Amino acid sequence: MPRFSFTSLRTRLIALVFLCVLPALGLTLYTDLEERQIEMEQARENVLRLLRTAAAREDRLIEGARQLLIALAELPEVRNGNQAICSRLFGYLLKQYPSYANLAAVESDGDVFCSGVPLTNPVNLADRLWFQRVVKSHNFTVGN
């Protein structure tokens, strides 16, 4: 069995090749880590850009809903509490705005007196958190 000796030519050549390959391997690993960090930063920036876009879209949707509700609250059919005409109007508007599940008008005690979706039983929304916030603040609010 041959003994390991650093004096042999074979051992010196292997050590020389290893010493030449080691910096290249280190550079490759370093470059890979740098590229990974750059990609992670780009991914973070993309996520932030998407979040900002989604938040801006959500803000526009909420503002559009707020403006629609303000306009509906000023209609004589709603202000006078004309249930039949108001419900028919809200039903028509639901067809125009399919992104809304329902449009309804609620009295100060929480009773729904007008709904775009026909109601079979009386509905009271006084227990809803958003309704309680509206009654308390007398201002537009968004539900959970």
Side-chain angles (χ1 to χ4, degrees):
M1 184 178 271
R3 270 181 34 206
F4 178 77
S5 171
F6 196 67
T7 57
S8 74
L9 182 59
R10 175 179 250 173
T11 304
R12 287 182 186 177
L13 284 175
I14 290 173
L16 184 61
V17 168
F18 181 72
L19 287 174
C20 289
V21 171
L22 189 61
L25 180 64
L27 183 61
T28 302
L29 289 174
Y30 175 76
T31 303
D32 185 52
L33 287 173
E34 285 292 315
E35 285 178 11
R36 187 171 288 189
Q37 286 179 340
I38 290 170
E39 289 172 358
M40 286 176 61
E41 184 60 33
Q42 288 174 342
R44 256 187 234 107
E45 289 173 7
N46 288 340
V47 167
L48 283 173
R49 188 173 22 259
L50 286 172
L51 287 174
R52 286 185 190 115
T53 301
R57 184 173 185 266
E58 190 73 18
D59 286 345
R60 284 192 305 273
L61 286 172
I62 290 171
E63 180 58 23
R66 187 182 77 77
Q67 290 175 5
L68 176 63
L69 292 173
I70 288 171
L72 292 177
E74 294 299 320
L75 293 175
E77 295 84 357
V78 176
R79 285 195 165 273
N80 297 336
N82 189 330
Q83 183 178 5
I85 295 174
C86 179
S87 293
R88 196 168 39 246
L89 173 64
F90 283 10
Y92 170 78
L93 288 172
L94 280 178
K95 292 176 186 171
Q96 304 304 311
Y97 296 95
S99 59
Y100 296 113
N102 193 11
L103 293 172
V106 182
E107 294 180 7
S108 60
D109 64 356
D111 289 335
V112 175
F113 72 87
C114 171
S115 175
V117 175
L119 301 175
T120 55
N121 296 321
V123 175
N124 186 286
L125 303 173
D127 62 338
R128 303 302 200 295
L129 184 60
W130 61 265
F131 183 80
Q132 293 168 6
R133 285 193 304 235
V134 167
V135 169
K136 192 175 197 177
S137 69
H138 296 284
N139 205 349
F140 178 80
T141 187
V142 177
N144 298 337

